[in-house]
Each structure stands twice: as C-alpha cells, then as structure tokens.
Amino acid sequence: MRILVIDIGGTHVKVLATGHRKLVEIPSGPKMTPAKMVAAVRVATSSWKYDAISIGYPGAVVHGRPFTEPHNLGSGWVRFNFRKAFARPVKIINDAAMQALGSYRGGRMLFLGLGTGLGSAMIVENVLEPLELAHLPYQKGRSYEGYVGQAGLERLGKEKWRHHGKEVVKQLKAALQADYVVLGGGNARLLKRLPPGTRPGNNANAFQGGYRLWTKRYSGLNHDRFVH
C-alpha cells in the first residue's frame, strides 16, 4: 500500500509518501483552513500515486477525528470531511502520537514532545494510546506544560527549564511505568544530558509513524472506526 503522510504544524505542513525521498513543505499559519491545506497538498503532490493517507494533527483526536480546533491554524478542522476531500481512506491521529509510533522499538514506551506545548503518547506492546498530560498540575498552580513548554522556557530561562524538564521526564516515566522515554519536539535538543532511560527522537519519525498506521502489527489504531 502506498501511503501519503501529512504532518500538520503551526508554521508548515510537511508531506511525504511511500517511494519518495524529498519532503514537501507547505507554509501554514493562522489562515490555514483544512480546505486550503487539502488544496495545497493536492497541488504539491499532483504527480504522486498513493492509496491512503495518514494525518498528524496538532490537537486532540478522538476516534480518528479532530476533537478540538488547533491553536495556531484557521478554523473548521473538527467537522471537516478529509476522506471526501482527498477521495482516499484517511487515518488521523495526534501529531505527537504519530511521531511516537515511528519512534517505537518495542516494550512500554513513553513519548514526550517538548515544543510549544507538551505532546505525549504511550505505546505498550504495539498498541498506541495518545495522552493529554500537558495540563495536569505540576508545581505552584502551573501545569507540566507551564514549566516545560515554550512559555516555561521563556519564563524560567534555559538552566531552570532543563532542571524541570529532567524532573518531568523522571516523574512521568515512573508514573506510567515506561521501559524507556523518547523525547521529541524542537526543544528536546536543549536538554544537554538526557535522564536515564531516555533517548532523543527525530521529527522524521513522524513519517515512519504515518506508514505504520496502516500495518496490522500496530493493532491499536487499525480498527475500521479510525478510517474516515
């Protein structure tokens, strides 16, 4: 099966497909609606052949559909019919979950994405479970995201941010009984020394995750209710 993978971000929409090596980047931003995204992707990939589509969405996804509107893009994503627009089967998951799936190497893995916010997902024996840990309380009336997200970095400075980043990883790894943690997101590189049992992720893993969504091995997201 040839898969088109779309990773939607606040500044760019990144696109790659089975059999292609060159990544396509499409500018996004606050005026990017789902209809504009689909039109831009179809133009950029007009010569590509693909059978199905995986979409990494920058927000909560429930039963394969966007549950909330994204913060940094235009509106209309929750009710948009992606399958009809692309005329292909489509699977949609949270963008952190898609990168987590591409980073997985067996066992119990916790993925944490350190970027504008705090993305999170857990995979246990090939079954993916997207998480929403960002807004759980952490310290002094602030959430985990309030300390290790971009706003926390700007408020605390790098040294204090690094301290809290390592502490958050330690706490969440223990609470979820993870065998190991993968750290993705643009700010993960700022942690000079990773906590024990932690390895760096790679944004390119999102595309591997998009391909894996359509394989039988990763049974947690291969039920028909995730295809739209």
Side-chain angles (χ1 to χ4, degrees):
M1 181 181 284
R2 296 165 297 185
I3 310 300
L4 180 73
V5 183
I6 303 171
D7 188 13
I8 302 172
T11 58
H12 289 88
V13 175
K14 299 177 182 179
V15 187
L16 195 63
T18 306
H20 291 264
R21 294 184 179 181
K22 187 175 181 180
L23 184 71
V24 171
E25 293 193 9
I26 300 167
S28 58
K31 294 184 179 180
M32 176 63 81
T33 64
K36 289 180 179 179
M37 184 277 288
V38 170
V41 169
R42 295 192 70 165
V43 168
T45 63
S46 59
S47 63
W48 296 10
K49 295 181 179 180
Y50 50 92
D51 306 302
I53 299 169
S54 296
I55 297 177
Y57 178 75
V61 176
V62 178
H63 298 320
R65 296 181 182 277
F67 186 70
T68 58
E69 295 289 335
H71 293 293
N72 300 318
L73 302 174
S75 60
W77 297 82
V78 171
R79 298 184 180 277
F80 191 80
N81 189 329
F82 291 92
R83 179 178 182 132
K84 181 178 180 181
F86 278 112
R88 301 283 196 289
V90 177
K91 289 188 179 184
I92 306 172
I93 60 172
N94 172 263
D95 54 354
M98 192 162 77
Q99 189 175 152
L101 190 58
S103 306
Y104 183 61
R105 296 180 184 173
R108 299 174 60 89
M109 184 198 79
L110 173 63
F111 176 87
L112 297 174
L114 302 176
T116 304
L118 173 64
S120 56
M122 186 95 183
I123 304 181
V124 179
E125 303 303 332
N126 299 333
V127 178
L128 170 65
E129 183 60 45
L131 303 174
E132 286 292 334
L133 302 176
H135 302 296
L136 293 177
Y138 173 58
Q139 285 188 14
K140 298 180 181 180
R142 295 183 186 272
S143 65
Y144 284 109
E145 184 173 275
Y147 274 84
V148 300
Q150 182 64 32
L153 175 61
E154 294 172 0
R155 186 180 76 255
L156 298 167
K158 286 184 181 180
E159 289 305 315
K160 289 184 177 180
W161 181 88
R162 287 189 182 111
H163 167 75
H164 287 289
K166 292 176 182 178
E167 183 62 26
V168 166
V169 170
K170 180 181 176 181
Q171 284 189 17
L172 295 178
K173 181 177 183 290
L176 295 166
Q177 300 179 19
D179 297 327
Y180 60 101
V181 178
V182 173
L183 290 179
N187 288 337
R189 58 186 171 76
L190 300 178
L191 288 176
K192 292 182 178 179
R193 293 184 179 180
L194 298 181
T198 304
R199 64 178 173 84
N202 188 315
N203 289 339
N205 289 341
F207 298 99
Q208 178 64 26
Y211 300 142
R212 285 180 170 181
L213 269 181
W214 293 90
T215 63
K216 292 182 179 180
R217 182 176 182 181
Y218 299 96
S219 57
L221 281 176
N222 283 326
H223 192 278
D224 287 345
R225 69 195 178 102
F226 291 98
V227 184
H228 299 287

